[in-house]
Amino acid sequence: MDGVNTRKIAGRRRIRLLACLPLLLAAGCAGLFDGPRPSRDEVFVHIRLVDDLPHGQFGLASCHEGVCSIRLRRETYPYCLLHELRHPFEGNFHEGRHSTEDCHVP
């Protein structure tokens, strides 16, 4: 091979490596994540924005046989949406305690 072809091949390998780098880092860091794991792989979710919820709550999620209903206080949308969407997949991930985890109301 001449020098030009060798540089082209080396350049292509570098590009492939750089393209794969985020995937390699994510795979390597996945073991460092010690967060909750989903208890369901699939759910059907109905989300309703409401003006009021009991006890000053930001949102409520209830699920039965893979069908979940989420009521989210209109004034906390979209800030608490992630928190309520976790419930259908993870169940009551903050059982026994009030939590605003993943609920960032300004």
Side-chain angles (χ1 to χ4, degrees):
M1 278 194 242
D2 62 12
V4 174
N5 286 337
T6 304
R7 283 193 300 269
K8 284 182 183 178
I9 292 170
R12 287 185 196 139
R13 286 184 183 152
R14 250 185 259 123
I15 290 171
R16 285 186 196 137
L17 178 61
L18 289 174
C20 294
L21 191 57
L23 295 173
L24 293 171
L25 288 173
C29 295
L32 299 176
F33 179 72
D34 194 24
R37 299 289 182 229
S39 58
R40 293 186 179 101
D41 292 329
E42 182 177 3
V43 291
F44 180 81
V45 179
H46 176 258
I47 301 170
R48 177 177 293 173
L49 298 179
V50 297
D51 292 319
D52 199 21
L53 289 172
H55 311 294
Q57 294 174 320
F58 294 141
L60 289 171
S62 60
C63 300
H64 181 69
E65 296 182 7
V67 177
C68 299
S69 173
I70 293 176
R71 291 186 297 154
L72 185 64
R73 187 178 287 206
R74 189 177 312 276
E75 65 193 39
T76 64
Y77 175 85
Y79 310 109
C80 296
L81 185 57
L82 175 58
H83 175 98
E84 296 305 326
L85 281 172
R86 287 181 61 189
H87 284 293
F89 288 100
E90 298 174 25
N92 193 358
F93 60 91
H94 56 84
E95 189 168 354
R97 64 181 173 86
H98 177 73
S99 172
T100 56
E101 185 178 346
D102 292 325
C103 183
H104 307 286
V105 179

